[in-house]
Amino acid sequence: MPLRDVRWGIIGCGNVTEVKSGPAFSLVNHSSLVAVMRRDGALAADYARRHGVPRWYDDAAALIADDEVNAIYVATPPSSHRDYALMAIAAGKPVYIEKPMALDHAQCQEIIAAGEAADVPVFVAYYRRRLPRFLKVAQLLAEGAIGQPRIVNTMLHHPLEDRYRDPANMPWTVQPAISGGGIFVDIGCHTLDILDFLLGPIVDVRGMTSNQLGAYAAEDTVAMSFAFASGVLGTGLWTFGADRREDRTEIIGDAGRIMFATFGESPIRLEAGGQAQEWAIPNPAHIQQPLIEAVVAELTGTGRSPSTALTGARTQWVMDQVLRA
């Protein structure tokens, strides 16, 4: 039965919830943020005070059991996504899980099976599927602006950041037991997911990984080739020890090409018919708000979310083919 109003509880009110997601839950119609949880109770209380949230907890089970909470946002590192998602599902409460969906595809399948058995909706925070800039790319493809898509090339290059130079205080994003891999898993998943949204599922993957810098245990370089069910072929290169930042995806068709960045707000560029056009489309202040609107619409019976457990698991499967081959 659709919910009349969605009353959210956040498990793990860390940095990602400060601006990207947390405030948006109370800006969407028929949605509010009523409780937050963090293992450090003082930090949970501070978050609740600063964001005007009525209640806070230092125990996830207590938040899930709160009768005022009827939907759960799991915003912890990936190592606990499965367990918290299963707890929410067991309580009959829809769950919105931060990306990546879990540590690996097998855990994603556990979440999907539990959600289907309990008839509880599950969503994943691949919010680019609702950002205006990527909807513009989807529109151009649907209109045939580049004809029939044939190939896609994507690359993301970062220099080694200072925060990865201190072995004694290494961020969780490069600790595989917590994150499932390295920075490729943490942010490269966004590009793979938006390609799934734009071009359909990836059904065949080949790849290699390496640790070239030795700065941390996880992979720092990934090379992939992949094929979409549509027949489009693609390549991807991710390195986090380069000389400078580069972020570019190019979809090439038989009548033109579209270029865009996964991150930032550089213009979308279309080259076709001997001409070039560009669109500069800014992101919203709270970047997850458009997807949260879609999730709330589905939960209240007025729309559909483009990012679900099934789509999130597909992206996890693609990464697993390279990381766990």
Side-chain angles (χ1 to χ4, degrees):
M1 176 178 292
L3 300 176
R4 180 176 178 180
D5 294 289
V6 185
R7 301 186 303 273
W8 292 96
I10 297 179
I11 298 176
C13 50
N15 288 340
V16 72
T17 70
E18 289 287 350
V19 176
K20 288 184 176 182
S21 60
F25 289 104
S26 295
L27 295 174
V28 173
N29 290 336
H30 301 288
S31 174
S32 59
L33 178 58
V34 300
V36 295
M37 172 269 168
R38 198 165 180 174
R39 287 179 297 177
D40 185 323
L43 292 177
D46 176 66
Y47 185 98
R49 176 186 57 79
R50 290 185 291 104
H51 290 276
V53 181
R55 291 184 298 288
W56 62 268
Y57 295 93
D58 60 8
D59 177 70
L63 179 140
I64 292 171
D66 187 332
D67 289 338
E68 286 300 305
V69 173
N70 63 8
I72 306 296
Y73 170 36
V74 177
T76 58
S79 58
S80 55
H81 285 185
R82 174 191 58 184
D83 292 347
Y84 288 142
L86 294 179
M87 289 170 62
I89 291 167
K93 299 185 178 184
V95 59
Y96 176 64
I97 308 170
E98 257 307 324
K99 59 77 207 166
M101 184 175 168
L103 281 179
D104 54 36
H105 185 252
Q107 289 191 353
C108 295
Q109 293 297 99
E110 289 184 58
I111 296 170
I112 290 170
E116 290 178 346
D119 196 24
V120 172
V122 180
F123 309 93
V124 183
Y126 282 116
Y127 52 84
R128 281 170 172 77
R129 289 173 174 252
R130 275 297 299 263
L131 289 181
R133 58 184 284 107
F134 297 104
L135 294 180
K136 180 62 178 180
V137 176
Q139 176 192 348
L140 292 170
L141 291 171
E143 292 173 348
I146 64 169
Q148 183 66 39
R150 300 299 187 193
I151 60 172
V152 56
N153 300 309
T154 189
M155 58 182 288
L156 181 65
H157 299 171
H158 281 202
L160 178 65
E161 298 179 24
D162 287 343
R163 60 182 175 146
Y164 298 119
R165 298 179 186 273
D166 181 1
N169 295 286
M170 199 60 68
W172 64 262
T173 50
V174 292
Q175 298 183 45
I178 301 174
S179 65
I183 309 169
F184 165 72
V185 171
D186 186 42
I187 63 175
C189 63
H190 274 300
T191 301
L192 294 170
D193 186 79
I194 202 61
L195 289 177
D196 179 291
F197 174 70
L198 295 170
L199 298 170
I202 293 172
V203 295
D204 191 12
V205 186
R206 316 290 168 85
M208 295 177 288
T209 69
S210 66
N211 184 317
Q212 298 180 348
L213 302 177
Y216 43 76
E219 77 291 338
D220 57 32
T221 303
V222 177
M224 292 174 55
S225 61
F226 39 87
F228 296 82
S230 63
V232 174
L233 300 180
T235 64
L237 291 171
W238 291 263
T239 182
F240 301 98
D243 61 326
R244 62 178 181 264
R245 288 180 178 266
E246 291 185 274
D247 174 10
R248 184 172 69 252
T249 296
E250 186 175 40
I251 302 175
I252 300 168
D254 56 16
R257 59 188 61 198
I258 299 171
M259 288 156 281
F260 59 89
T262 302
F263 306 95
E265 298 183 1
S266 60
I268 298 160
R269 182 177 176 86
L270 168 67
E271 296 179 359
Q275 297 182 326
Q277 292 179 267
E278 291 190 345
W279 293 266
I281 303 174
N283 290 323
H286 306 294
I287 203 165
Q288 293 200 26
Q289 185 169 340
L291 180 59
I292 291 170
E293 288 175 349
V295 169
V296 170
E298 180 159 339
L299 292 177
T300 55
T302 60
R304 300 288 291 178
S305 169
S307 184
T308 65
L310 292 175
T311 63
R314 290 204 301 259
T315 294
Q316 198 87 40
W317 178 85
V318 172
M319 292 190 293
D320 276 11
Q321 303 315 296
V322 177
L323 297 177
R324 311 183 202 289

